[in-house]
Amino acid sequence: METAGWKEKAERKETTERKETTELKRASDAKESDGAKEKAVQADGLKTSDFYFELPKELIAQAPLEERTSSRLLVLNKSTGEIKHQVFRDIIDYLNPGDCLVLNNTKGYSRAAYGGKAGHRRRS
């Protein structure tokens, strides 16, 4: 009996999360400035194509900010779908007791990788 209750709770949670993802995607699509039609998210989840976007070169950081806490912070309200642009020093306003904040302090290296499809010659 206890196992059936656990499975039912897990299925309800998954269904709720799927609905929230769909609602967020629809809210995001509806806000697109190019006026594109709202896209429906497939019931089985997101596609990698959902994450394709153009990023102008001038928006790509070439060096870290002198004052690191001035870096930009994108905040999503999961309940409303509202998106805010903040600065990182404000992150404490969005953390609750018990939250886990993971910081990445690894150094990036400038590298290029060239490749192609097997059986196809690269054009000179």
Side-chain angles (χ1 to χ4, degrees), residues 58-77:
E58 64 270 11
L59 295 180
I60 301 172
Q62 300 302 310
L65 294 173
E66 206 169 293
E67 188 182 335
R68 298 299 294 253
T69 58
S70 296
S71 61
R72 296 175 4 175
L73 175 68
L74 181 68
V75 178
L76 169 68
N77 181 323

Side-chain angles (χ1 to χ4, degrees), residues 25 39 46-53:
K25 177 69 174 137
K39 299 175 188 173
L46 298 173
K47 302 174 294 247
T48 56
S49 61
D50 293 332
F51 300 96
Y52 295 161
F53 61 93

Side-chain angles (χ1 to χ4, degrees), residues 114-117 119-124:
Y114 300 98
K117 292 183 179 181
H120 290 78
R121 287 183 51 152
R122 193 171 125 187
R123 295 181 186 174
S124 303

Side-chain angles (χ1 to χ4, degrees), residues 30-105:
K31 291 180 181 179
E32 285 182 4
S33 60
D34 65 358
K37 290 183 179 178
E38 187 175 325
K39 299 175 188 173
V41 175
Q42 294 179 355
D44 62 346
L46 298 173
K47 302 174 294 247
T48 56
S49 61
D50 293 332
F51 300 96
Y52 295 161
F53 61 93
E54 292 294 323
L55 182 60
K57 285 197 179 240
E58 64 270 11
L59 295 180
I60 301 172
Q62 300 302 310
L65 294 173
E66 206 169 293
E67 188 182 335
R68 298 299 294 253
T69 58
S70 296
S71 61
R72 296 175 4 175
L73 175 68
L74 181 68
V75 178
L76 169 68
N77 181 323
K78 288 175 30 174
S79 302
T80 65
E82 178 188 14
I83 294 174
K84 290 183 185 178
H85 297 275
Q86 303 293 115
V87 289
F88 191 79
R89 77 173 71 81
D90 296 335
I91 195 166
I92 194 72
D93 298 337
Y94 301 98
L95 296 175
N96 297 308
D99 286 350
C100 176
L101 176 63
V102 178
L103 302 175
N104 178 355
N105 64 356

